[in-house]
Amino acid sequence: MPAVVIVGAQWGDEGKGKATDLLGSRVDYVVKFNGGNNAGHTVVIRNPDGTAETYALHLLPSGILSPGCVPVIGNGVVVDLSVLFEEIDGLEARGIDTSRLVVSANAHVIADYNRTLDKVTERFLGSRKIGTTGRGIGPTYADKMNRLGIRIQDLFDEKILRAKVEGALELKNQILTKVYNRRAVEVDEIVEELLSYTERLRPMVADTSLLLHDALREDKTVLLEAGQATLLDVDHGTYPFVTSSSATSAGACTGSGIPPTEITRVIGIVKAYATRVGEGPFPTELFDEDGERLRVNGHEFGTTTGRPRRCGWYDAPVARYAARINGVTDFVLTKLDVLTGWDRIPVCVAYDVDGERVEEMPTTQTGFHHAKPIYEYFEGWSEDISGAREFADLPKSAQTYVEALEQMSGSRISTIGVGPGREQTIVVHDLL
Ligand code: GDP
Ligand code: IMO
Ligand code: MG
């Protein structure tokens, strides 16, 4: 009864989608347990004739692309229903069967006023903004904690739905009109939009915690796929420059209803360098031509918002922190191919924080903002490694680089990505 968790070990976009897709054919369920359509996962699948199909997924679990695997949207997710059906229709139009999708009755719904509030709050914050994706994620999770949220199950009881929307708008309209100078939102407008999805949604909705409990009893394999990443986690990330959900392995339990005692493995996805989208501290960030070269070679432009990603060198204390917080049993090191062509590759091994050498994540926000990377330099390689399928196929200096990262990062590196395609993968230790 394996329950395996996949988490991002940095600031997101590590290649979680590819890793989930890679295991998709061997697992019975793939569960998205946090976040919403702030996520963007690009999955590239090669057709038998050699051409490639590229899929960009936001709300749907990446397992949707694997026939036979049941994709589940867990209770910890916030669901934008218009995006859900747009994504389903888009995949169906490309011949992907989405009929197995199951959605938790307890997942929260992103109402239109929360998309508006996300955007106006960011504008209001000015230079203090977070750089959110503008999808309404933060305000929807705030409503959940504030007990003002609308859940999927509310759509099946119009009276309850109306009462909840009325309750939420009593407060929201004050904020929209008096703080942000926007027009008030009509209860009917919101209720009507949400009800328009009810019939299409009905057959997908289930008690997903019970479903997964039964699946594990039947010895099925469940893969729990995080959106975002450790450093964007609301508790363990670089707060306040984080997302509003629990993106670490513990979140897989609250966000799915699977207890911690069921989790058998935690896979941390880590890029061979580092990227970040939005605001917030990033010690190894590069502002020079190396940064631009990483961005261009790695196609580091957001899948969700198209924003150029901030790029920098590998940060070992961050990876070590992710290993500790998540209990990472295996790392998947992605995008090693992007580092091809550098004479030497710096790796941040510790920080200089106000003149003091610090080996681990600084305790305070101020400490992390002041952290300057202390680099160790590794020999680069110039050979094209995108065709490597065994560790021994890698040039010696690439092998040394991977072994050094493994040694510094607190867990073994079990898989290495050398390209975006499913097959462009070196498996050192099997992940299941
Ligand atoms: P996610 O949000 O963690 O799923 O990651 P994204 O999909 O946002 O970003 C990762 C990008 O890198 C995608 O475009 C992937 O197709 C691509 N990718 C994943 N693994 C590799 C790899 O090993 N090498 C290269 N070159 N690209 C990769
Ligand atoms: P995946 O799953 C990278 C960032 C945003 C912003 C902050 C808060 O593709 O790795 P939000 O809209 O969530 O309130 O924004 O979090 N962010 C991501 N960055 N990858 C993601 O998802 C992200 N999801 C949110 O850029 O800085
Ligand atoms: Mg992404």
Side-chain angles (χ1 to χ4, degrees):
M1 39 172 224
V4 177
V5 183
I6 282 190
V7 292
Q10 294 155 321
W11 282 277
D13 306 321
E14 297 90 349
K16 299 176 291 293
K18 177 186 160 182
T20 303
D21 173 68
L22 207 58
L23 298 176
S25 62
R26 294 170 62 200
V27 304
D28 301 295
Y29 293 80
V30 173
V31 187
K32 179 177 168 91
F33 63 79
N34 75 304
N37 58 312
N38 47 347
H41 308 303
T42 301
V43 179
V44 182
I45 301 174
R46 209 155 294 278
N47 295 317
D49 67 1
T51 57
E53 292 284 333
T54 301
Y55 297 91
L57 300 166
H58 299 283
L59 185 51
L60 294 173
S62 306
I64 197 108
L65 301 173
S66 302
C69 154
V70 178
V72 177
I73 292 184
N75 57 277
V77 173
V78 289
V79 181
D80 184 324
L81 288 161
S82 64
V83 172
L84 178 73
F85 291 116
E86 235 170 70
E87 225 167 272
I88 288 175
D89 291 343
L91 288 181
E92 287 286 343
R94 294 177 69 180
I96 303 288
D97 175 17
T98 61
S99 63
R100 303 172 318 279
L101 178 70
V102 186
V103 180
S104 167
N106 287 349
H108 282 243
V109 167
I110 302 179
D112 189 49
Y113 46 79
N114 281 335
R115 279 189 295 262
T116 307
L117 276 167
D118 192 358
K119 291 182 193 128
V120 293
T121 311
E122 282 281 279
R123 229 172 289 148
F124 187 78
L125 283 171
S127 63
R128 290 181 296 120
K129 72 175 191 289
I130 306 297
T132 73
T133 58
R135 302 297 192 261
I137 306 293
T140 305
Y141 278 114
D143 282 0
K144 173 175 173 174
M145 290 306 179
N146 220 1
R147 291 154 295 188
L148 279 176
I150 313 291
R151 294 191 292 176
I152 293 280
Q153 58 181 286
D154 299 329
L155 270 60
F156 304 110
D157 185 331
E158 188 175 340
K159 207 165 131 222
I160 289 257
L161 176 66
R162 186 168 290 277
K164 289 194 175 179
V165 172
E166 269 168 10
L169 281 180
E170 227 168 84
L171 177 71
K172 304 273 173 184
N173 275 336
Q174 297 287 332
I175 298 170
L176 280 169
T177 56
K178 295 188 179 147
V179 179
Y180 296 115
N181 208 17
R182 306 277 295 205
R183 74 171 178 88
V185 177
E186 299 288 336
V187 173
D188 280 347
E189 206 179 297
I190 301 295
V191 171
E192 266 163 42
E193 196 216 327
L194 294 178
L195 286 178
S196 72
Y197 302 114
T198 309
E199 285 322 307
R200 231 185 134 185
L201 196 58
R202 196 183 294 276
M204 301 174 190
V205 177
D207 177 343
T208 48
S209 163
L210 181 61
L211 177 83
L212 296 170
H213 171 88
D214 291 347
L216 289 169
R217 292 287 82 72
E218 288 164 22
D219 228 16
K220 301 275 198 250
T221 305
V222 176
L223 186 63
L224 300 131
E225 172 206 38
Q228 294 75 52
T230 306
L231 278 287
L232 291 174
D233 180 277
V234 70
D235 282 275
H236 303 291
T238 52
Y239 191 90
F241 301 101
V242 293
T243 190
S244 300
S245 70
S246 297
T248 42
S249 58
C253 294
T254 48
S256 70
I258 291 181
T261 43
E262 299 278 6
I263 307 293
T264 47
R265 216 153 180 185
V266 179
I267 301 169
I269 316 298
V270 71
K271 233 181 263 198
Y273 50 98
T275 63
R276 172 162 207 167
V277 194
E279 306 301 316
F282 180 8
T284 64
E285 182 169 16
L286 294 166
F287 300 95
D288 57 7
E289 57 200 44
D290 280 336
E292 190 52 31
R293 194 161 145 203
L294 284 173
R295 190 172 305 114
V296 171
N297 291 4
H299 304 288
E300 296 296 355
F301 297 88
T303 313
T304 301
T305 56
R307 288 179 287 180
R309 294 173 182 156
R310 300 158 63 192
C311 296
W313 300 120
Y314 191 85
D315 187 326
V318 159
R320 236 176 2 251
Y321 178 71
R324 166 158 63 90
I325 293 289
N326 294 290
V328 168
T329 56
D330 302 81
F331 274 118
V332 172
L333 182 72
T334 64
K335 305 189 98 162
L336 185 64
D337 53 301
V338 174
L339 293 179
T340 299
W342 263 277
D343 293 338
R344 57 172 207 166
I345 305 168
V347 170
C348 169
V349 295
Y351 306 117
D352 177 324
V353 180
D354 302 325
E356 198 185 321
R357 185 182 168 103
V358 175
E359 305 279 340
E360 302 298 332
M361 279 286 286
T363 313
T364 63
Q365 187 185 351
T366 308
F368 199 54
H369 275 272
H370 290 188
K372 292 195 181 63
I374 298 173
Y375 287 118
E376 217 172 274
Y377 296 87
F378 292 85
E379 194 188 323
W381 60 91
S382 55
E383 298 91 330
D384 177 2
I385 62 168
S386 62
R389 296 295 174 266
E390 305 278 340
F391 191 69
D393 296 341
L394 293 174
K396 192 75 199 91
S397 47
Q399 292 185 16
T400 306
Y401 182 73
V402 173
E403 283 163 352
L405 297 194
E406 177 170 81
Q407 219 259 323
M408 288 180 229
S409 305
S411 194
R412 67 182 187 179
I413 293 174
S414 294
T415 301
I416 301 159
V418 291
R422 251 183 204 171
E423 72 294 349
Q424 289 178 296
T425 306
I426 296 171
V427 178
V428 184
H429 305 286
D430 196 7
L431 291 174
L432 288 178

